[in-house]
Amino acid sequence: MGFSFRDKMAPSTPLLTVRGSEGLYMVNGPPHFTESTLFSRINVINVTNKGLLHSFDLPKAVCLEFSPKNTVLATWQPYTTSKDGTAGIPNLQLYDVKTGTCFKSFIQKKMQNWCPSWSEDETICARNVNNEVHFFENNNFNTIANKLHLQKINDFVLSPGPQPYKVAVYVPGSKGAPSFVRLYQYPNFDGPHAALANKSFFKADKVTMLWNKKATAVLVIASTDVDKTGASYYGEQTLHYIAANGESAVVQLPKNGPIYDVAWNSSSTEFCAVYGFMPAKATIFNLKCDPVFDFGTGPRNAAYYSPHGHILVLAGFGNLRGQMEVWDVKNYKLISKPVASDSTYFAWCPDGEHILTATCAPRLRVNNGYKIWHYTGSVLHKYDVPSNGELWQVSWQPFLDGIFPVKTITYQAVPSDVPSEEPKVATAYRPPALRNKPITNSKLHEEEPPQNMKPQAGNDKPLSKTALKNQRKHEAKKAAKQEARNEKSPDLAPTPAPQSTPRNTIPQSTSGDPEIDKKIKNLKKKLKAIEQLKEQAAAGKQLEKNQLEKIQKEKALLQELEDLELGI
């Protein structure tokens, strides 16, 4: 299923197209969510459509795709050979959407990367044939305009945007030679210095290449099928940055483990990576591959920037519970934390305001349906497929960039008529021997909070002298306030410790509230640990990142301690 048009005029909101066991139909977007009369519902048995353009008799077709300007429809069906071993018939067809005639047919044996790639203006089209990338111009598929020849070329990706067109190609390593990715500018493919950039690397059985929107750089996720260290079931992944100006780098990820997702911001100036053993980290990097903001750790394996690039959703789908974190990436402020349980599909609406999540077959055959959310966490529309039915696909109507203007971010949840659902909290398994005993709050993993990674004055060195000076100020201020209160109200002065108190017990002020006393004790314990860390730093010891973070929290801990003690 696919939309065969990209609207240039902005309606109030895009349409949804839905395909499942109930048929194929369209739904109006927010705020109405009614079935659209623009497109008649198509039954699986009785196929009718008042706006029918063409009908293609392709009973074995399993894939279809429209070209960017919707002038060509590409279809693919499994390649078969005859019983006597003679070559099969072409199984990749390219049709003229306007006339319905077949432009060209090709033999395409593998389903992987079956569809040709077009530039956004359809000036060039390319497909991988053996050791070459064949380029066609202006949808003339009878003449190969240019060829890019590289031995054992495995994959390629055309750059987005207008001319000059660029192409990234991947050649896997063999016989001890490294794999490499090269960037070229069309049609300059010949000569030893034709490549704009080249990046070689080992440990790569496959790669994913991601151009940014302005076609100035490519991110390459290099993966191995097996992690020889035995640390991960996912194999090993590394992230590489390659710029069209020739610069390249390995993106240093501070936590070991898989790379689940990488996404470019539409500004093309930064990207987000989700990586590391669970709970996974998420970090935004700039074009120097330096970390800009770290979202800490959490149950996540995907990142989705809004079309305008001003909002980022970090999500945990698949074998995770569907938690989402919606962030304002300009101010690095959390907007909402909705939960979309059992989701198999996520998509931003082109308006940058709404989100679609769905549970589709065959990934999950129960609880199929979809939801439309506002990014503030409100569910605006919900549709559940009947228990005997399935949802196969749902997607937004596509629109060209710039049709929907960016709106000011709001943090208040928008009103909704859909009743809110409290996510089901799964209780952790407890062995029979522990089920009648108190539950402890121990955690398997230490959680890391979000933090701004931009260089700030003094952040690179422990502020031992300044922190010590502030501590003395706070202590003097606290003592003066306490003394003044004691003079005004002698009854509030601390009472002497009882005679039964052991000699080696340090007398402590008490509030009469065990909870407050406990907080004060914990704060003093943390401050003592910070003092020890500062002494270690002063002695020349290199502190870890989390230890430096603890030192930076000293001022806040002192203030909290002061407030608690003055309240005694």
Side-chain angles (χ1 to χ4, degrees), residues 542-558:
Q542 184 70 30
L543 298 183
E544 298 291 334
K545 180 181 174 182
N546 62 332
Q547 293 174 320
L548 293 173
E549 290 171 357
K550 287 181 181 178
I551 292 176
Q552 292 169 7
K553 294 176 183 176
E554 183 184 34
K555 187 175 180 181
L557 293 175
L558 286 168

Side-chain angles (χ1 to χ4, degrees), residues 470-486 509 520 524 527 557-568:
N470 288 336
Q471 184 179 2
R472 287 172 180 166
K473 280 184 179 180
H474 280 294
E475 289 174 348
K477 187 178 177 182
K478 179 180 66 177
K481 285 184 178 181
Q482 187 65 50
E483 186 176 349
R485 289 185 65 179
N486 291 343
S509 58
I520 291 175
K524 288 183 176 180
L527 287 168
L557 293 175
L558 286 168
Q559 184 64 51
E560 186 179 353
L561 179 62
E562 178 184 350
D563 294 341
L564 286 172
E565 289 187 328
L566 290 180
I568 295 174

Side-chain angles (χ1 to χ4, degrees), residues 187-204:
N188 304 323
F189 302 140
D190 298 328
H193 304 293
L196 299 173
N198 180 81
K199 176 66 175 176
S200 301
F201 41 84
F202 292 95
K203 295 185 178 180

Side-chain angles (χ1 to χ4, degrees), residues 119-402:
S119 59
E120 289 185 359
D121 59 6
E122 295 191 12
T123 298
I124 63 171
C125 177
R127 59 185 299 262
N128 190 358
V129 182
N130 298 327
N131 293 323
E132 296 178 331
V133 180
H134 292 181
F135 291 86
F136 306 91
E137 294 183 351
N138 302 313
N139 288 328
N140 177 10
F141 298 101
N142 294 315
T143 303
I144 299 173
N146 284 285
K147 293 182 181 181
L148 172 56
H149 179 84
L150 283 173
Q151 195 68 29
K152 296 184 179 179
I153 186 169
N154 181 273
D155 197 9
F156 75 96
V157 181
L158 287 181
S159 65
Q163 299 186 40
Y165 312 115
K166 302 182 185 75
V167 59
V169 295
Y170 163 62
V171 175
S174 61
K175 297 180 180 178
S179 306
F180 64 84
V181 170
R182 288 179 185 167
L183 309 186
Y184 292 91
Q185 182 170 306
Y186 182 83
N188 304 323
F189 302 140
D190 298 328
H193 304 293
L196 299 173
N198 180 81
K199 176 66 175 176
S200 301
F201 41 84
F202 292 95
K203 295 185 178 180
D205 295 322
K206 57 185 177 181
V207 303
T208 301
M209 296 176 285
L210 305 168
W211 280 100
N212 62 9
K213 190 175 180 180
K214 293 182 179 179
T216 57
V218 173
L219 289 170
V220 179
I221 306 172
S223 307
T224 60
D225 295 329
V226 178
D227 184 352
K228 294 181 179 179
T229 65
S232 173
Y233 293 110
Y234 300 94
E236 287 184 89
Q237 290 89 28
T238 51
L239 182 59
H240 305 265
Y241 169 87
I242 311 173
N245 63 5
E247 295 178 354
S248 64
V250 178
V251 182
Q252 300 295 333
L253 303 176
K255 186 173 185 178
N256 293 329
I259 299 174
Y260 304 103
D261 198 12
V262 178
W264 280 104
N265 192 317
S266 58
S267 66
S268 297
T269 58
E270 62 183 31
F271 58 91
C272 179
V274 183
Y275 58 93
F277 297 113
M278 289 293 168
K281 286 180 73 70
T283 307
I284 290 180
F285 297 87
N286 60 20
L287 296 184
K288 294 181 180 179
C289 299
D290 294 328
V292 175
F293 188 84
D294 191 314
F295 294 97
T297 56
R300 55 174 77 113
N301 54 17
Y304 306 95
Y305 277 103
S306 65
H308 304 97
H310 62 321
I311 299 174
L312 173 67
V313 175
L314 301 174
F317 296 138
N319 59 349
L320 299 178
R321 296 179 183 175
Q323 296 99 321
M324 296 188 287
E325 303 164 48
V326 184
W327 286 84
D328 173 352
V329 291
K330 182 178 180 181
N331 299 304
Y332 299 119
K333 186 176 179 181
L334 184 65
I335 301 171
S336 63
K337 293 186 71 174
V339 177
S341 301
D342 301 327
S343 294
T344 63
Y345 179 75
F346 176 103
W348 272 102
C349 178
D351 66 4
E353 292 271 310
H354 300 94
I355 290 168
L356 167 67
T357 62
T359 304
C360 299
R363 179 71 181 271
L364 284 176
R365 297 193 182 275
V366 295
N367 300 326
N368 282 191
Y370 66 88
K371 293 178 182 178
I372 307 296
W373 307 71
H374 190 266
Y375 64 78
T376 53
S378 303
V379 178
L380 303 181
H381 178 65
K382 176 184 177 184
Y383 177 73
D384 293 323
V385 174
S387 58
N388 60 344
E390 292 182 348
L391 177 65
W392 301 331
Q393 189 178 0
V394 58
S395 61
W396 291 107
Q397 175 188 359
F399 280 82
L400 297 174
D401 293 338

